[in-house]
Amino acid sequence: MIIFSEKEHKYKHLESGNILKGWTSLIKNYTETFNLEKQAICSAYSNYLGPKYRGIKFGKMVDASVDELAEYLLSAYPEMPTHYIDEVKYEWDYAAILGSETHLEAEMKSYERGYEINPFTDEEFQVIKMDKQYDNQLLMDDLSNLPDGYYPELLVYDYSMGQGNTPVTMIDKCFIKGGVVWIDDFKTNKAIWAGKDKMMKGVLSSLYDSTEEKYKLQACFGAKLMSTFGFKVGGVGFTHVKDYNLNKTKFYLAKYDEYLMDKFQEDWKRIYDKLEIVNETD
């Protein structure tokens, strides 16, 4: 059985004891390295400098990496009080808590209603609630046996790799009918960045290294994992929940490129054992 520990932010295969790699561990191999400390510095200067920050970032430092921009700002404006950085980190931590609460709220409301509307077809799907030993666990070894319906927070893996050594993800909203799956993920960021200044790496080099593209790809990743159980992909996308308010949402439709996802799967099988394990986020 595979479970996800909210406390540790890790996926674990109980029988082998293996810590499995999830989406966050996988995608960092194809995107620009995210330096949390340097990004916190840049965000702090954005608050401190106001509009002047955008002039610097998209002016003289437009081609700079996050690390280079942070170093420039520290040298050019050393007078910024350090509490600006502390406030950014606190905001991020609090945002993660609010994001988890929003996911839980959406899940509980689905169970209370007993149904969920498929955003791709506008059909009403019955919510399927199965007995669980753990809050976040694999519902069954072979997910192709799942009954038709709607599944909130569905844990899925690559069936072709086996449970003990496989990439894993949690699909926020999964609709199943007649062997077809539709995937929708929740995102609670302040904003969805759609920049087109950088590309991803390797087999994903045709995609922009932006928040929007990564979230679309994450939903496609979940769909590809479901396809290893024989499901056909009916539709993929993600929903941006604004201000942690489930009544304020925007849906982003993604294109499921079967050829690209096949190449992505070939590559994750090749590099899986070399991937660094990191804390998994949504």
Side-chain angles (χ1 to χ4, degrees), residues 37-53:
E37 289 299 321
K38 295 297 175 65
Q39 184 58 61
I41 291 170
C42 292
S43 297
Y45 272 105
S46 176
N47 295 336
Y48 176 66
L49 295 174
K52 190 174 182 179
Y53 171 81

Side-chain angles (χ1 to χ4, degrees), residues 4-231:
F4 177 70
S5 169
E6 289 279 2
K7 182 178 180 180
E8 299 177 300
H9 291 278
K10 296 284 194 305
Y11 291 100
K12 187 175 184 179
H13 181 238
L14 295 182
E15 287 78 2
S16 66
N18 290 346
I19 300 299
L20 305 178
K21 286 106 171 186
W23 169 253
T24 308
S25 299
L26 178 62
I27 193 59
K28 72 190 296 286
N29 193 69
Y30 301 91
T31 58
E32 183 180 358
T33 301
F34 181 76
N35 187 315
L36 190 67
E37 289 299 321
K38 295 297 175 65
Q39 184 58 61
I41 291 170
C42 292
S43 297
Y45 272 105
S46 176
N47 295 336
Y48 176 66
L49 295 174
K52 190 174 182 179
Y53 171 81
R54 290 184 59 83
I56 296 170
K57 181 177 179 179
F58 298 105
K60 65 188 298 181
M61 301 298 290
V62 66
D63 294 322
S65 66
V66 170
D67 290 14
E68 291 169 338
L69 178 58
E71 291 302 320
Y72 169 80
L73 292 168
L74 286 169
S75 63
Y77 304 95
E79 73 281 1
M80 183 185 74
T82 57
H83 71 78
Y84 277 86
I85 299 175
D86 296 334
E87 288 168 2
V88 164
K89 291 180 179 179
Y90 172 80
E91 182 182 344
W92 287 351
D93 289 342
Y94 189 51
I97 294 171
L98 292 176
S100 296
E101 290 177 349
T102 303
H103 277 75
L104 181 60
E105 179 188 359
E107 183 179 359
M108 292 301 102
K109 284 187 174 181
S110 292
Y111 288 136
E112 289 171 8
R113 276 193 306 269
Y115 69 90
E116 194 70 36
I117 302 298
N118 184 332
F120 303 93
T121 66
D122 291 328
E123 293 177 89
E124 186 177 294
F125 278 61
Q126 178 185 352
V127 179
I128 306 296
K129 188 173 184 179
M130 303 178 72
D131 292 335
K132 295 181 182 181
Q133 185 178 355
Y134 301 89
D135 285 341
N136 299 294
Q137 69 167 68
L138 184 67
L139 293 180
M140 56 178 64
D141 293 338
D142 186 351
L143 296 178
S144 65
N145 294 321
L146 288 173
D148 286 359
Y150 168 69
Y151 295 84
E153 303 297 321
L154 181 66
L155 195 156
V156 61
Y157 70 101
D158 187 336
Y159 189 61
S160 69
M161 294 177 70
Q163 290 185 30
N165 199 47
T166 174
V168 190
T169 197
M170 191 76 73
I171 299 172
D172 294 332
K173 303 177 71 175
C174 183
F175 301 85
I176 298 177
K177 182 180 179 180
V180 180
V181 293
W182 295 264
I183 306 296
D184 182 14
D185 272 340
F186 275 131
K187 299 300 175 187
T188 56
N189 307 46
K190 259 187 183 179
I192 304 298
W193 179 61
K196 297 183 178 181
D197 56 326
K198 291 176 182 147
M199 309 299 289
M200 295 190 199
K201 306 171 187 174
V203 296
L204 302 178
S205 60
S206 62
L207 303 178
Y208 292 113
D209 190 353
S210 69
T211 307
E212 181 177 336
E213 286 296 301
K214 281 187 275 194
Y215 285 166
K216 287 179 178 178
L217 181 63
Q218 183 177 4
C220 290
F221 172 61
K224 178 59 183 177
L225 293 182
M226 288 297 287
S227 78
T228 67
F229 293 90
F231 290 102

